[in-house]
Amino acid sequence: MFSLFSYFIFSIYFSEMKFICLTLLLVSGITDSRSEQYTVVGPADPVFAVPGEEVILPCSVKPSISVVDMRVEWFRLDLKDSVHLYDDHEDRNTDQIQSYRGRTKLIHQELQRGNASLKLSTVRVSDEGRYKCFIQSKSWSDDATIDVRVEAVGRPPVITVDGFDRSGGLHLQCESEGWYPEPDLEWLDSEGVSLSSETTETHRNSDRFSVKHTIIVYHSGKIHCRVKLRHHMLETLINTTNNRFISWRTSVILISVFVVLVVIAGILIAAFAHKKRALDQLPNEHRTLQNEKRTLQDEHRTLQNEHRTLQNEHRTLQHERDQLLQMQKIFLPKVKVTLDADTAHKRLIVSHDGKQVRDGNRLNAVDEGKHRFDYYLGVLGKDGFSSGSFYFEVKVTDQTEWGLGVTRESSKRSGISLSPDVGYWTVRRLNESYWARDSPSVSLSLSVEPQRIGVFVDYDQGLVFFYDVKSMSHIYTYTDQSFKKKLYPCVGLGQWANGNSTPLIICDD
């Protein structure tokens, strides 16, 4: 009897303990599930990319927990297969979309901090679209959508002259190609007033656009052709008052006068032959014709003399220009420039003597500071100048991407804008083209590839002058600038990464 009672009591006790354990396990599971909850976040605004370059598609979890043990998948909303898949601690891209093969990458060391951003290399126009970042743990999942838009910056606009019409109007044509999406092209006069185009043509070749506008100008001055696309703008100008157009117009006038004189001379010769037969009867008319002939000959000689005078003046101006460049070369106050490694981007390696700088192809273990460039691969000279004039030379041979010039002591060194608006006066080489980083940027047409560039600065006159040392040819000049703080020499190797190990060299010889 006692055993039976004890067994009954023990059964009740065991059932209650089992219920308590199951309750604790259920509460623990709910708590663990809630502890794994997170939110996947991406940028609210579209991400803009440039064809041929790389772009980062931001994606992370909040709070910042590790996603190393989770499944991370990127895919396009309009396509079936995966763009990039990370699962079970490694990338699994056997079913990846063919066009993305070898162009996607997750930074694995960033997964520990909850950063699942995707690096997309060699961007194409076809990459434009809406992407989804999907992150899944054992008990939770979430996703974010990222809008990617591709912008292809075309070639600098080219202005060609098609001659004059009968009313004296100058026909100009502006053309630019290689844009995506379709850009806007407009003509502006020297006051910035928009001019209406006579004809407009737009063509699409494969995935790029080309535009062509023509205009007739009846006044002299600077005419600008500007191509705009969202965040980009390229501009070219032509000066219809320079010596080339004056010489052309003068040549047209002289040729016209010469043709008229030839016609008149032919008429006079015929008239003279006819009059000669009646010379005995009309001696006075004969003498009159002779006088008219002499007058025309005198006028013709006068026009020839004026033409020779214009040619001599043109040669004199060319000679004076060459002499000016030679004098600048001889008398420029050359200074010794030493690069300050404390201002260099973390990828750059500055030589011990401070005369060379190159891309080390990796981030160096150096301290970060507000005086160091954080995006542009730049470095400053140690010494600054706040008056007078100075001159230095930089050797750029075999380097495919570079920039050089001067900057204010107080200019920011974060971001990528290097225009005079933020205190930078530079010229740059990028993708086999040359630019002056003015406001806006100006495309430079150079006849030869510079090997050594001279930079002359007149602080008091507000002038920064660039020229090719070897060919003694002018590259670009910033004029009428306002310098109120110290100016420092500045050289750089592009943005993010360069990949060419050839150094830029400060020339002291």
Side-chain angles (χ1 to χ4, degrees), residues 411-430:
S411 297
K412 292 184 178 179
R413 293 162 203 169
S414 60
I416 61 175
S417 177
L418 299 178
S419 68
D421 295 336
V422 293
Y424 287 85
W425 294 266
T426 62
V427 294
R428 178 189 184 191
R429 174 177 177 167
L430 175 63

Side-chain angles (χ1 to χ4, degrees), residues 9 25 94 105 117 215 253 298 307 309 315 345 348 397 400 410 466 483 506:
I9 296 300
L25 287 173
T94 55
K105 182 180 180 182
S117 298
I215 193 173
I253 295 174
D298 292 338
H307 180 64
T309 300
R315 284 192 291 269
H345 188 278
L348 298 182
T397 304
T400 55
S410 58
F466 299 85
F483 304 138
I506 304 297

Side-chain angles (χ1 to χ4, degrees), residues 155-318:
R155 297 181 180 178
V158 176
I159 299 177
T160 56
V161 180
D162 290 338
F164 296 89
D165 61 11
R166 294 182 178 180
S167 60
L170 179 64
H171 288 251
L172 300 177
Q173 176 179 284
C174 181
E175 184 175 10
S176 181
E177 59 184 15
W179 296 83
Y180 182 87
E182 181 181 347
D184 294 321
L185 188 151
E186 63 176 344
W187 292 92
L188 303 171
D189 63 14
S190 57
E191 302 298 327
V193 178
S194 179
L195 304 175
S196 59
S197 300
E198 296 292 325
T199 61
T200 300
E201 297 179 23
T202 302
H203 301 283
R204 180 167 183 172
N205 301 322
S206 65
D207 57 357
R208 304 294 178 95
F209 288 89
S210 62
V211 291
K212 182 191 297 183
H213 287 204
T214 59
I215 193 173
I216 301 177
V217 179
Y218 293 94
H219 61 277
S220 60
K222 294 181 179 179
I223 304 298
H224 301 255
C225 176
R226 179 179 296 172
V227 184
K228 297 187 297 184
L229 176 63
R230 295 177 182 163
H231 307 91
H232 304 279
M233 180 180 70
L234 297 180
E235 182 177 287
T236 301
L237 67 84
I238 187 170
N239 191 349
T240 60
T241 60
N242 62 26
N243 291 333
R244 181 174 60 183
F245 289 104
I246 294 174
S247 176
W248 184 12
R249 190 185 293 270
T250 303
S251 299
V252 172
I253 295 174
L254 289 176
I255 292 172
S256 301
V257 172
F258 180 76
V259 171
V260 172
L261 289 176
V262 169
V263 173
I264 294 175
I267 295 173
L268 290 177
I269 290 173
F272 178 75
H274 175 73
K275 291 293 183 180
K276 188 176 182 181
R277 291 192 294 266
L279 184 61
D280 295 336
Q281 294 82 12
L282 302 172
N284 293 331
E285 291 183 2
H286 176 69
R287 285 190 295 270
T288 301
L289 288 173
Q290 285 183 325
N291 291 333
E292 291 177 351
K293 179 182 177 181
R294 283 192 293 270
T295 300
L296 288 172
Q297 289 175 336
D298 292 338
E299 292 177 352
H300 180 64
R301 283 192 293 270
T302 299
L303 288 173
Q304 287 181 323
N305 291 333
E306 291 178 352
H307 180 64
R308 283 192 292 270
T309 300
L310 288 173
Q311 289 180 324
N312 291 334
E313 290 178 352
H314 179 64
R315 284 192 291 269
T316 300
L317 289 173
Q318 287 182 321

Side-chain angles (χ1 to χ4, degrees), residues 9 25 64 66 96 110 125 137 182 262-263 305 331 412 475 480 483:
I9 296 300
L25 287 173
S64 299
S66 173
Q96 186 181 35
E110 290 294 321
V125 171
S137 66
E182 181 181 347
V262 169
V263 173
N305 291 333
F331 296 109
K412 292 184 178 179
I475 296 177
D480 300 325
F483 304 138

Side-chain angles (χ1 to χ4, degrees), residues 384-491:
F385 304 87
S386 57
S387 64
S389 59
F390 62 94
Y391 169 77
F392 63 95
E393 295 179 359
V394 181
K395 183 179 179 182
V396 297
T397 304
D398 297 330
Q399 179 52 250
T400 55
E401 183 174 355
W402 49 260
L404 55 91
V406 294
T407 181
R408 283 198 299 259
E409 179 180 20
S410 58
S411 297
K412 292 184 178 179
R413 293 162 203 169
S414 60
I416 61 175
S417 177
L418 299 178
S419 68
D421 295 336
V422 293
Y424 287 85
W425 294 266
T426 62
V427 294
R428 178 189 184 191
R429 174 177 177 167
L430 175 63
N431 296 332
E432 298 184 357
S433 60
Y434 299 88
W435 300 85
R437 300 298 298 273
D438 211 331
S439 299
S441 295
V442 178
S443 174
L444 305 176
S445 299
L446 305 185
S447 58
V448 296
E449 182 176 306
Q451 306 296 315
R452 187 164 172 167
I453 296 179
V455 183
F456 171 71
V457 179
D458 189 323
Y459 189 97
D460 302 320
Q461 296 297 324
L463 179 143
V464 183
F465 177 87
F466 299 85
Y467 78 104
D468 185 342
V469 175
K470 183 177 180 180
S471 64
M472 294 295 294
S473 59
H474 172 256
I475 296 177
Y476 193 75
T477 304
Y478 292 92
T479 58
D480 300 325
Q481 305 298 309
S482 178
F483 304 138
K484 297 181 181 180
K485 295 185 179 181
K486 276 188 176 182
L487 295 180
Y488 286 80
C490 174
V491 298

